[in-house]
Amino acid sequence: MTASDEIPLPEVVTDEHVRDAEREAAEAAALVSALEEAVQSGDENVTPEQITAQEGLSRFARLRAEATRRKAAKSKEAIRLVAANKLRQEIEAYSTGIGPRLATQLRAVADAEAAFIATADEHDQKIRTWRKQMLELQIPESTGTPVPPAEHGHLALVKSDVGIHAGRRRLDLIRGKDRIEHHRNSPGNRESMYAGLAKVDVEAPMPAGQHYYRGAGGAVFTYDVERTPEEIKTTGLVKISQREAWGE
């Protein structure tokens, strides 16, 4: 919008101005009625000229009231149009360039999603390939020990799943497309999603203060508190080291 497009404001005439003009017109009309009533009541001091003059003033006051109403309507319309033009200027100033910016941002979202899915798919394919190789090597499922035994290369299959254990790491499928969908539909859980993904390659911490025992059947048991001699005798437990428990 250029300076020539701007609409100048006319004389500002408000509803208060209209009320004042209407009040003056009503007062003038009331004076005509008062003079006429005086004549009808026998007042001989009222002359025809007075009535004619007052009628003229009353008519003039009515005309001025109508003119004031029209000016007020034009003033309101002009103010409305100025406000509309200012609003259009604000909209135009904001919208200039917003389209390319939004397109760039949306393209970045699409590129980021595609990159995430590609990385997740690559990760999942590796997990499936490694799991297949582990099955071919007859690697058993995890017994629940922090580290799979050395006799299987510290490898184990995740029970009832498609993940794997390698050393102190557990690797599961990411399922990138499902993650993207969950991310879209659960905005309140996004921080926990990010935190979870950031830890997919983190080694399980080395436990401290644990006590390890092997049962009669060969299973390894881990306790926070050392078993009493009576418990060991009754259950047939044999105390072993952490290294033995982990198969190192």
Side-chain angles (χ1 to χ4, degrees):
M1 180 176 179
T2 64
S4 60
D5 295 324
E6 295 181 0
I7 298 176
L9 280 175
E11 176 189 1
V12 177
V13 181
T14 66
D15 290 339
E16 184 63 29
H17 292 135
V18 173
R19 285 191 290 271
D20 290 342
E22 289 176 341
R23 184 171 58 253
E24 290 176 2
E27 291 172 353
L31 287 176
V32 173
S33 297
L35 289 174
E36 291 174 344
E37 179 61 29
V39 172
Q40 291 173 354
S41 298
D43 188 344
E44 297 180 356
N45 293 321
V46 178
T47 66
E49 292 77 17
Q50 287 178 304
I51 294 177
T52 300
Q54 189 57 47
E55 285 177 336
L57 291 173
S58 177
R59 182 169 179 273
F60 183 72
R62 288 198 306 273
L63 293 173
R64 286 191 60 183
E66 177 60 25
T68 304
R69 280 191 289 270
R70 294 183 184 183
K71 286 181 180 180
K74 289 181 179 180
S75 178
K76 288 180 181 178
E77 175 59 21
I79 292 172
R80 185 194 70 82
L81 191 53
V82 167
N85 275 281
K86 286 184 177 180
L87 179 58
R88 192 195 75 243
Q89 287 178 303
E90 178 184 340
I91 294 170
E92 289 177 339
Y94 161 78
S95 61
T96 301
I98 189 65
R101 181 150 51 100
L102 287 171
T104 298
Q105 291 173 342
L106 186 57
R107 185 178 292 109
V109 171
D111 291 345
E113 285 191 359
F116 173 81
I117 291 173
T119 301
D121 287 350
E122 180 184 10
H123 168 90
D124 291 355
Q125 185 56 45
K126 286 184 179 294
I127 298 299
R128 293 187 181 98
T129 299
W130 290 333
R131 186 177 175 89
K132 181 180 178 181
Q133 292 173 334
M134 289 166 65
L135 287 169
E136 292 172 351
L137 292 171
Q138 298 182 341
I139 301 297
E141 291 184 339
S142 171
T143 61
T145 58
V147 176
E151 63 187 274
H152 298 299
H154 298 301
L155 295 172
L157 300 172
V158 175
K159 289 185 177 180
S160 304
D161 205 339
V162 290
I164 60 174
H165 291 281
R168 285 189 285 125
R169 284 190 174 88
R170 171 175 171 165
L171 299 174
D172 296 292
L173 298 183
I174 301 299
R175 297 184 176 90
K177 291 182 179 179
D178 292 343
R179 295 265 184 168
I180 290 292
E181 192 66 24
H182 186 47
H183 184 266
R184 288 176 181 153
N185 298 331
S186 305
N189 297 328
R190 287 178 180 173
E191 288 303 322
S192 62
M193 295 181 210
Y194 304 149
L197 280 173
K199 295 178 181 178
V200 295
D201 61 344
V202 174
E203 287 186 319
M206 294 283 287
Q210 300 294 300
H211 303 274
Y212 303 94
Y213 299 85
R214 180 173 283 112
V220 175
F221 299 93
T222 304
Y223 298 97
D224 295 331
V225 179
E226 191 169 8
R227 303 293 91 182
T228 64
E230 291 76 12
E231 289 176 313
I232 291 175
K233 182 177 181 181
T234 301
T235 59
L237 294 175
V238 176
K239 187 172 179 60
I240 58 177
S241 67
Q242 177 178 283
R243 182 177 295 276
E244 291 176 303
W246 288 17
E248 294 183 343

